[in-house]
Amino acid sequence: MPVGVVEVPPADALLADGRVVEIRQLVPDDLAELEALYGRLSKEAMRMRFFSYSQQVGQQDIKRMMRRTGRDQLSLVAVDGSRIIGVATLARSGAADRAEFALIVDDERHGQGIGTLLIEHVIAAARRLGYARLHADVLSDNAEMLHVLRDLGAAPKMRASSGVVDVDFVLPAHGEWHLAVQERESIAEYASLEHLLSPKSIAVVGAGQRPSSVGRRIVGNLVAAGFTGRLYAVNPGGLAVDSVPGYADLSELPESPDLVVVAVPALGVLEVIGAAAAIGARGAVIVSDGFAELGDTGRDLQRDILATARRGGMRLIGPNCLGIANFDGGVRMNATFADMACPAGSLGVATQSGGVGLALLDAMARRGIGLSTFVSMGNKADVSGNDMLLYWSQDPATSVCLLYLESFGNARKFAQIARQVARTKPIVAITAGRSVAGARGVRSHTAAAATPDVALDALFHQAGVIRAASLSEALDVISILGTGSIPSGGRVGVVSNGGGPAALTADACSAVGLDLPELSRGLRDRLATVLPAHAATSNPVDTTAGGGPAELAECARMMADSGEVDSVIVIHASLASTDRDAVAAALAEIHASCPVLAVFLGSPTSPDALRQQAGEGGVPCFAYPEEAARALASVTDYAAWRRLPHPPQRPVSAPSAKARRMVRDFLADHPEGGWLDTHVAAGLLEASRIPVVRTVPVGSVAEAVTVAAKLGYPVVVKAAAGTILHRTELGGVFVGVRSVIGVRRAFKSIRAQWGPDCPVVIQPMASRGVETAVGMIQDPSVGPVVMAAMGGIATDLLADRSFRLPPLSLADAKAQIAALRGSPLLSGYRGAEVCDTKALAEILRRVGDLALGLPELAELDLNPVVVSPEGALALDVKIRLAPSAPFDPYVRSLKTRPPLPR
């Protein structure tokens, strides 16, 4: 059933053409703007919306919308600057679970995606209000509206009758809806950032005559790079800089620039952004520092700057950043204050740290790694890693993505975006600043295990993101990905000119899970034809010192083309630099059907022949076999992830009305949240169809004896107060109680230790099986994380756990169980009975759904969950609830910012 009044927070979002608009609830102060919108509507637009040409109908609609909104009616507006350009209404229909929606868009703004964006936010609001279906009546000749509804991805049912099309659809979840929303978001993001990354004109504010100034250096870099667009320098004297025309103020420019680069002191930035917005600039890069990185004052200033930019429909990169660059020959933009020696290529780089960005640029130049775009995000006031992934997903010049991140603004959205992008474009991520312990207090087994770094690992694993532990490791991985070839499996062929290096490489591969298979007799015979008589043709292949560059390269080619290995590592110990160069030249001629890696043992730099060839079809170089093996293993794991089937995410099961009510009632009595008593927690699981042992609360000795008799001996007697954790260690659990006397003693002992009001529960003894554990924690960055573990009292001791982010399919949950070292115990280990792992997987799946549907579910611990051939049953449950704002991952919105005064 729909629930009470819902406040929809304002959100900035992108239209199809990349412009920023605000989506928010209608407020009383909007009356004049709303009347102005209706006054601009053509007669045909009035007919399409109201089935009438009458202006009076429109006035009645305005009056209806201006009433207090809530469950019965909700009105959302799209605002560009201060002008309302669209409005959508949601109103209660005759059916309890169905709402009517309607839409109108300014005649002048059709075709920009305003209507689609409003409907997406209406769907999110309807879901929060508790509606299950939406309905609209559309004139059959309103082709534009019908087209919008068909393309939503919500699978509407349409029935035409008497010139009116009846449109009805169930509120969509995941599946095609998810893909459709993300595709629209990617297109809008690309359109938005294209003005910054491929601008036709740039104004650099703060570019003066002083050679050492940051603004002057940026202008110089733009000129040196051969920027193909129009360039302007803005400084107080209006002086030209490096032959670039100068102006005293942005308002004096002959055009509205696509991009404004801001290099003035922090206190002057707000004025510059206001001026840029006033002339219609599409975006700004703020290289100035002195904002959120310095504390509250700087943070407030940064928020004001973002709010001003959003009000003007602008995007921001920075502040406190190095700048941006585009290596495309049609753009040639270096809007940074760094030297750019990297060649053009297909790697997109976004870094949160300017210092790391400088190190990356230097290292990439030395390795010959080519870039498509480079973005230093700085404080990420607006543009973040999520935005860059969406941009790169649409950018034909980018085939590999590299992110350096120190924080996640919206990690749950990152997971969704990355999962889609990584299917075609590899993503390499380096993260920093992740505390091992985190700030969360450890109150349960799950909380102790699910550290922030563990949660991040789970996120990356499921999204197909390659996580690098260091800058050098990231570049190693990128050097393989940049060749455009990824291995089809984990079989590695090794070719070396010495037995020692070959053995080192074999050990390095084995240590990271790569396999060196035995080669077939036919392949060994072919290898023997090009090798000295005493050479080894097994895997690894040892050409000995008698095998020269041509032999090494030919052996590598034979192995690569044999189909018996999925990648080849060539390791060479050089006696002289000329040897190394000759081997590099020979390897550069290989055009293999799988990745070929070169290790020049101990060499700190790549040979020129391969460094200049780095990129599509190239041979990446390494100094040590361990580096090559580690990078190859990461790429191999990514390739395996990409080969997996990736069906659209299944619909998440909504929490039952009873479960919602239990959560609402508890938080009404405990506004700060807290732990549920055991029988209440068990009831919440039962309401969510998660199997839990029968748990009966008892208030006296006599009641405890009566309940124990009904359940049948033996029984378990427990202290059930939610505030008592780790009850077993504290003497709060009596297991295997077999008599009336035992029940009485247990009950009295609990009350004596924990007080006369301590709740007590009785449970039947469960049948034997393998003890596992299932948990969930709401990570502040990534959202809910689901844990599977081997359970019982040894859970923390063995630390045998695996983590996943919901929603989980049954296959996901089974894979999570199989990842446990102890999983063979569930599969008939040493003649034991085979347990029902599907039942355990179903519990994991349902726990994930419950966490997504009830964000107030802060922590859950089921330990043990006994798994037997007959099924899986939770014997003990701990649940903590906490207030939480709802999160809808399918609402398109930019990073939040405080609204400006109206």
Side-chain angles (χ1 to χ4, degrees):
M1 287 289 292
V3 296
V5 174
V6 169
E7 292 294 328
V8 178
D12 295 314
L14 296 175
L15 299 179
D17 64 357
R19 292 186 181 275
V20 182
V21 296
E22 183 185 24
I23 306 295
R24 58 170 173 78
Q25 274 183 259
L26 187 71
V27 297
D29 288 348
D30 289 328
L31 177 59
E33 270 298 322
L34 192 61
E35 289 176 335
L37 169 64
Y38 276 57
R40 294 192 300 270
L41 294 176
S42 65
K43 288 186 176 181
E44 186 63 11
M46 293 291 291
R47 184 181 74 84
M48 291 297 183
R49 167 64 181 87
F50 300 110
F51 302 2
S52 168
Y53 291 114
S54 170
Q55 290 289 336
Q56 186 177 359
V57 176
Q59 291 301 313
Q60 291 172 350
D61 193 52
I62 291 174
K63 290 179 181 178
R64 186 164 50 249
M65 281 190 286
M66 295 308 298
R67 297 174 191 155
R68 178 175 174 79
T69 61
R71 181 176 62 189
D72 293 335
Q73 179 169 299
L74 181 72
S75 299
L76 299 180
V77 291
V79 185
D80 184 357
S82 60
R83 191 179 198 183
I84 293 178
I85 56 174
V87 59
T89 58
L90 182 72
R92 187 175 181 178
S93 181
D97 67 341
R98 191 177 79 163
E100 303 273 354
F101 74 97
L103 177 70
I104 200 157
V105 174
D106 196 324
D107 286 1
E108 300 173 1
R109 304 296 292 271
H110 283 205
Q112 297 178 359
I114 298 168
T116 299
L117 188 59
L118 279 167
I119 294 173
E120 289 176 13
H121 282 258
V122 162
I123 288 172
R127 186 180 286 115
R128 289 182 61 190
L129 284 163
Y131 291 109
R133 294 182 297 146
L134 287 181
H135 173 266
D137 290 323
V138 183
L139 286 176
S140 56
D141 61 341
N142 191 348
E144 189 173 3
M145 182 64 176
L146 292 173
H147 178 75
V148 167
L149 293 172
R150 287 193 184 100
D151 286 352
L152 271 178
K157 294 180 180 179
M158 297 187 178
R159 294 177 297 274
S161 176
S162 302
V164 176
V165 179
D166 180 89
V167 181
D168 194 89
F169 58 86
V170 175
L171 289 186
H174 303 293
E176 295 302 320
W177 173 249
H178 167 209
L179 297 178
V181 172
Q182 188 162 304
E183 179 66 15
R184 290 191 287 266
E185 188 167 29
S186 297
I187 293 170
E189 193 74 58
Y190 184 81
S192 173
L193 294 183
E194 188 179 23
H195 292 283
L196 282 75
L197 289 166
S198 299
K200 299 295 188 295
S201 55
I202 301 175
V204 182
V205 182
Q209 297 293 305
R210 187 162 50 90
S212 61
S213 73
V214 171
R216 172 72 178 267
R217 187 164 185 178
I218 291 172
V219 169
N221 282 344
L222 284 163
V223 171
F227 175 59
T228 58
R230 297 171 297 280
L231 187 57
Y232 307 103
V234 179
N235 54 64
L239 302 174
V241 177
D242 290 339
S243 74
V244 174
Y247 296 86
D249 191 86
L250 283 171
S251 62
E252 298 178 4
L253 296 180
E255 64 177 312
S256 176
D258 286 331
L259 174 65
V260 175
V261 180
V262 185
V264 302
L267 293 179
V269 172
L270 181 59
E271 181 181 354
V272 173
I273 294 301
I279 64 171
R282 297 301 298 270
V285 173
I286 304 173
V287 299
S288 316
D289 59 7
F291 298 94
E293 75 276 11
L294 297 185
D296 291 342
T297 301
R299 192 175 295 112
D300 291 343
L301 178 58
Q302 183 172 301
R303 281 199 294 262
D304 291 343
I305 289 168
L306 177 59
T308 301
R310 290 280 176 79
R311 184 58 63 94
M314 293 173 57
R315 301 301 307 273
L316 290 183
I317 292 176
N320 186 31
C321 72
L322 187 63
I324 62 177
N326 188 336
F327 293 76
D328 184 272
V331 182
R332 297 202 298 271
M333 176 185 69
N334 177 11
T336 76
F337 51 91
D339 295 329
M340 291 280 183
C342 298
S346 59
L347 173 66
V349 176
T351 171
Q352 195 170 344
S353 163
V356 170
L358 289 169
L360 283 170
L361 290 170
D362 179 62
M364 289 172 185
R366 283 187 279 108
R367 292 193 184 211
I369 296 174
L371 274 67
S372 59
T373 47
F374 172 87
V375 174
S376 173
M377 300 178 292
N379 292 359
K380 299 194 304 182
D382 178 16
V383 173
S384 67
N386 290 355
D387 298 283
M388 291 310 305
L389 286 180
L390 288 168
Y391 172 84
W392 286 327
S393 72
Q394 301 290 320
D395 180 24
T398 300
S399 60
V400 181
C401 312
L402 172 63
L403 295 170
Y404 171 78
L405 299 171
E406 295 173 352
S407 62
F408 279 88
N410 191 336
R412 284 173 277 187
K413 192 164 187 176
F414 174 89
Q416 292 160 2
I417 296 169
R419 186 183 290 115
Q420 193 68 20
V421 174
R423 293 176 192 175
T424 55
K425 298 185 179 185
I427 302 168
V428 181
I430 317 162
T431 61
R434 301 291 296 181
S435 164
V436 173
R440 187 194 312 115
V442 175
R443 301 299 304 277
S444 70
H445 299 291
T446 305
T451 63
D453 211 50
V454 165
L456 201 57
D457 269 335
L459 183 154
F460 286 157
H461 172 81
Q462 287 177 256
V465 175
I466 302 171
R467 188 179 190 187
S470 65
L471 297 180
S472 61
E473 186 177 319
L475 294 177
D476 289 343
V477 170
I478 286 166
S479 67
I480 300 175
L481 294 170
T483 66
S485 175
I486 59 176
S488 56
R491 302 171 302 168
V492 181
V494 175
V495 184
S496 175
N497 68 337
L504 285 174
T505 306
D507 289 345
C509 289
S510 179
V512 292
L514 298 172
D515 177 42
L516 271 68
E518 291 285 342
L519 304 181
S520 69
R521 172 53 60 185
L523 177 55
R524 294 182 66 177
D525 288 345
R526 293 194 298 277
L527 290 167
T529 64
V530 300
L531 291 174
H534 54 285
T537 58
S538 59
N539 192 13
V541 173
D542 180 6
T543 69
T544 74
E551 288 77 16
L552 272 172
E554 181 60 14
C555 288
R557 186 198 63 76
M558 285 184 177
M559 295 180 77
D561 294 341
S562 69
E564 296 185 24
V565 298
D566 304 303
S567 52
V568 176
I569 298 177
V570 179
I571 181 166
H572 183 260
S574 301
L575 296 176
S577 61
T578 54
D579 293 342
R580 188 188 67 162
D581 293 340
V583 171
L587 292 177
E589 298 301 319
I590 293 179
H591 299 285
S593 56
C594 71
V596 175
L597 285 62
V599 177
F600 293 96
L601 198 59
S603 177
T605 58
S606 302
D608 287 343
L610 296 181
R611 187 179 66 84
Q612 293 170 2
Q613 184 219 17
E616 192 76 21
V619 176
C621 295
F622 302 87
Y624 300 100
E626 295 80 9
E627 296 171 352
R630 185 170 56 240
L632 182 59
S634 294
V635 175
T636 299
D637 288 344
Y638 163 71
W641 175 88
R642 205 157 90 167
R643 289 192 300 272
L644 293 173
H646 295 283
Q649 291 181 357
R650 62 171 181 81
V652 173
S653 301
S656 67
K658 181 179 179 181
R660 288 182 182 275
R661 185 171 60 253
M662 292 176 71
V663 170
R664 187 170 63 245
D665 291 348
F666 179 84
L667 291 176
D669 294 334
H670 305 82
E672 300 299 318
W675 293 89
L676 301 181
D677 289 345
T678 300
H679 60 284
V680 179
L684 183 59
L685 291 189
E686 289 173 349
S688 306
R689 299 191 303 119
I690 296 172
V692 60
V693 70
R694 188 177 178 189
T695 303
V696 184
V698 293
S700 65
V701 170
E703 190 178 1
V705 170
T706 300
V707 169
K710 288 182 179 179
L711 293 177
Y713 291 103
V715 295
V716 178
V717 185
K718 292 181 179 178
T723 53
I724 305 173
L725 304 175
H726 307 294
R727 286 172 297 204
T728 301
E729 296 93 324
L730 299 174
V733 179
F734 295 81
V735 179
V737 179
R738 297 181 175 274
S739 66
V740 171
I741 293 176
V743 170
R744 287 173 175 165
R745 287 176 177 170
F747 186 94
K748 290 179 179 178
S749 176
I750 289 171
R751 285 289 174 88
Q753 182 172 356
W754 302 105
D757 296 323
C758 178
V760 179
V761 296
I762 310 289
Q763 297 173 328
M765 285 290 292
S767 57
R768 299 181 65 83
V770 177
E771 290 190 343
T772 65
V774 172
M776 189 285 306
I777 189 83
Q778 293 278 359
D779 184 271
S781 292
V782 306
V785 181
V786 176
M787 179 190 77
M790 301 310 295
I793 59 174
T795 293
D796 295 328
L797 178 65
L798 298 176
D800 187 7
R801 312 174 179 107
S802 62
F803 298 87
R804 297 290 187 274
L805 306 183
L808 300 173
S809 66
L810 214 52
D812 293 333
K814 287 180 178 178
Q816 184 177 4
I817 295 166
L820 300 173
R821 298 189 305 276
S823 63
L825 296 173
L826 298 165
S827 306
Y829 182 70
R830 291 193 173 182
E833 291 184 302
V834 176
C835 295
D836 187 354
T837 53
K838 182 179 179 181
L840 178 59
E842 187 64 26
I843 290 177
L844 288 165
R845 185 185 71 81
R846 291 180 180 176
V847 165
D849 281 7
L850 189 63
L852 289 172
L854 293 175
E856 301 88 352
L857 187 66
E859 202 169 333
L860 175 147
D861 209 47
L862 310 181
N863 186 21
V865 176
V866 173
V867 189
S868 68
E870 289 73 39
L873 186 70
L875 303 189
D876 194 43
V877 52
K878 299 180 182 72
I879 290 177
R880 181 171 64 87
L881 300 180
S884 176
F887 171 76
D888 192 325
Y890 305 112
V891 173
R892 281 192 283 157
S893 65
L894 299 174
K895 188 174 293 185
T896 57
R897 50 87 183 173
L900 285 174
R902 302 197 187 285

mmCIF file of all heavy atoms in Angstrom, residues 420-434:
data_model
loop_
_atom_site.group_PDB
_atom_site.id
_atom_site.type_symbol
_atom_site.label_atom_id
_atom_site.label_comp_id
_atom_site.label_asym_id
_atom_site.label_seq_id
_atom_site.Cartn_x
_atom_site.Cartn_y
_atom_site.Cartn_z
ATOM 1 N N GLN A 420 29.085 -2.636 -16.621
ATOM 2 C CA GLN A 420 28.665 -2.524 -18.017
ATOM 3 C C GLN A 420 29.836 -2.133 -18.917
ATOM 4 O O GLN A 420 30.033 -2.708 -19.992
ATOM 5 C CB GLN A 420 27.540 -1.489 -18.125
ATOM 6 C CG GLN A 420 26.809 -1.492 -19.453
ATOM 7 C CD GLN A 420 25.991 -2.756 -19.668
ATOM 8 O OE1 GLN A 420 25.670 -3.462 -18.718
ATOM 9 N NE2 GLN A 420 25.692 -3.054 -20.909
ATOM 10 N N VAL A 421 30.637 -1.175 -18.481
ATOM 11 C CA VAL A 421 31.750 -0.684 -19.305
ATOM 12 C C VAL A 421 32.802 -1.770 -19.495
ATOM 13 O O VAL A 421 33.346 -1.952 -20.594
ATOM 14 C CB VAL A 421 32.376 0.570 -18.670
ATOM 15 C CG1 VAL A 421 33.616 1.015 -19.433
ATOM 16 C CG2 VAL A 421 31.360 1.704 -18.611
ATOM 17 N N ALA A 422 33.097 -2.513 -18.408
ATOM 18 C CA ALA A 422 34.192 -3.484 -18.446
ATOM 19 C C ALA A 422 33.931 -4.652 -19.383
ATOM 20 O O ALA A 422 34.853 -5.404 -19.711
ATOM 21 C CB ALA A 422 34.470 -4.018 -17.035
ATOM 22 N N ARG A 423 32.711 -4.819 -19.842
ATOM 23 C CA ARG A 423 32.440 -5.908 -20.783
ATOM 24 C C ARG A 423 33.100 -5.676 -22.125
ATOM 25 O O ARG A 423 33.342 -6.617 -22.882
ATOM 26 C CB ARG A 423 30.927 -6.066 -20.959
ATOM 27 C CG ARG A 423 30.245 -6.545 -19.694
ATOM 28 C CD ARG A 423 28.735 -6.595 -19.848
ATOM 29 N NE ARG A 423 28.091 -6.779 -18.546
ATOM 30 C CZ ARG A 423 26.791 -6.764 -18.355
ATOM 31 N NH1 ARG A 423 25.981 -6.575 -19.377
ATOM 32 N NH2 ARG A 423 26.285 -6.942 -17.146
ATOM 33 N N THR A 424 33.387 -4.422 -22.432
ATOM 34 C CA THR A 424 34.037 -4.120 -23.707
ATOM 35 C C THR A 424 35.328 -3.333 -23.540
ATOM 36 O O THR A 424 36.196 -3.384 -24.412
ATOM 37 C CB THR A 424 33.089 -3.319 -24.625
ATOM 38 O OG1 THR A 424 32.641 -2.146 -23.933
ATOM 39 C CG2 THR A 424 31.875 -4.162 -25.011
ATOM 40 N N LYS A 425 35.465 -2.597 -22.429
ATOM 41 C CA LYS A 425 36.650 -1.778 -22.218
ATOM 42 C C LYS A 425 37.218 -2.070 -20.833
ATOM 43 O O LYS A 425 36.560 -1.790 -19.823
ATOM 44 C CB LYS A 425 36.316 -0.287 -22.355
ATOM 45 C CG LYS A 425 35.804 0.094 -23.745
ATOM 46 C CD LYS A 425 35.598 1.588 -23.896
ATOM 47 C CE LYS A 425 35.117 1.917 -25.304
ATOM 48 N NZ LYS A 425 35.012 3.361 -25.559
ATOM 49 N N PRO A 426 38.428 -2.629 -20.756
ATOM 50 C CA PRO A 426 38.999 -2.945 -19.443
ATOM 51 C C PRO A 426 39.157 -1.704 -18.580
ATOM 52 O O PRO A 426 39.481 -0.624 -19.073
ATOM 53 C CB PRO A 426 40.360 -3.553 -19.779
ATOM 54 C CG PRO A 426 40.302 -3.914 -21.220
ATOM 55 C CD PRO A 426 39.324 -2.990 -21.861
ATOM 56 N N ILE A 427 38.918 -1.879 -17.272
ATOM 57 C CA ILE A 427 39.090 -0.798 -16.301
ATOM 58 C C ILE A 427 40.141 -1.232 -15.287
ATOM 59 O O ILE A 427 40.025 -2.296 -14.665
ATOM 60 C CB ILE A 427 37.776 -0.489 -15.560
ATOM 61 C CG1 ILE A 427 36.670 -0.105 -16.549
ATOM 62 C CG2 ILE A 427 37.984 0.616 -14.530
ATOM 63 C CD1 ILE A 427 35.288 -0.073 -15.927
ATOM 64 N N VAL A 428 41.175 -0.426 -15.127
ATOM 65 C CA VAL A 428 42.205 -0.658 -14.119
ATOM 66 C C VAL A 428 42.058 0.423 -13.061
ATOM 67 O O VAL A 428 41.979 1.610 -13.395
ATOM 68 C CB VAL A 428 43.616 -0.630 -14.730
ATOM 69 C CG1 VAL A 428 44.674 -0.894 -13.659
ATOM 70 C CG2 VAL A 428 43.729 -1.646 -15.862
ATOM 71 N N ALA A 429 42.001 0.021 -11.802
ATOM 72 C CA ALA A 429 41.801 0.988 -10.713
ATOM 73 C C ALA A 429 42.912 0.858 -9.682
ATOM 74 O O ALA A 429 43.299 -0.250 -9.295
ATOM 75 C CB ALA A 429 40.443 0.765 -10.050
ATOM 76 N N ILE A 430 43.414 1.995 -9.257
ATOM 77 C CA ILE A 430 44.335 2.076 -8.124
ATOM 78 C C ILE A 430 43.625 2.872 -7.057
ATOM 79 O O ILE A 430 43.069 3.943 -7.336
ATOM 80 C CB ILE A 430 45.641 2.805 -8.500
ATOM 81 C CG1 ILE A 430 46.155 2.353 -9.859
ATOM 82 C CG2 ILE A 430 46.704 2.611 -7.438
ATOM 83 C CD1 ILE A 430 47.164 3.304 -10.464
ATOM 84 N N THR A 431 43.588 2.364 -5.849
ATOM 85 C CA THR A 431 42.907 3.071 -4.765
ATOM 86 C C THR A 431 43.886 3.346 -3.639
ATOM 87 O O THR A 431 44.853 2.618 -3.435
ATOM 88 C CB THR A 431 41.723 2.252 -4.215
ATOM 89 O OG1 THR A 431 42.204 1.012 -3.694
ATOM 90 C CG2 THR A 431 40.704 1.977 -5.308
ATOM 91 N N ALA A 432 43.606 4.392 -2.897
ATOM 92 C CA ALA A 432 44.448 4.768 -1.768
ATOM 93 C C ALA A 432 43.576 5.327 -0.665
ATOM 94 O O ALA A 432 42.434 5.727 -0.897
ATOM 95 C CB ALA A 432 45.478 5.805 -2.191
ATOM 96 N N GLY A 433 44.109 5.358 0.545
ATOM 97 C CA GLY A 433 43.401 5.961 1.663
ATOM 98 C C GLY A 433 42.318 5.079 2.246
ATOM 99 O O GLY A 433 41.422 5.566 2.925
ATOM 100 N N ARG A 434 42.386 3.750 1.980
ATOM 101 C CA ARG A 434 41.383 2.850 2.540
ATOM 102 C C ARG A 434 41.902 2.263 3.840
ATOM 103 O O ARG A 434 42.893 1.544 3.856
ATOM 104 C CB ARG A 434 41.070 1.721 1.563
ATOM 105 C CG ARG A 434 40.553 2.174 0.217
ATOM 106 C CD ARG A 434 39.181 2.775 0.318
ATOM 107 N NE ARG A 434 38.209 1.788 0.748
ATOM 108 C CZ ARG A 434 36.920 2.055 0.905
ATOM 109 N NH1 ARG A 434 36.473 3.265 0.688
ATOM 110 N NH2 ARG A 434 36.082 1.125 1.292
#
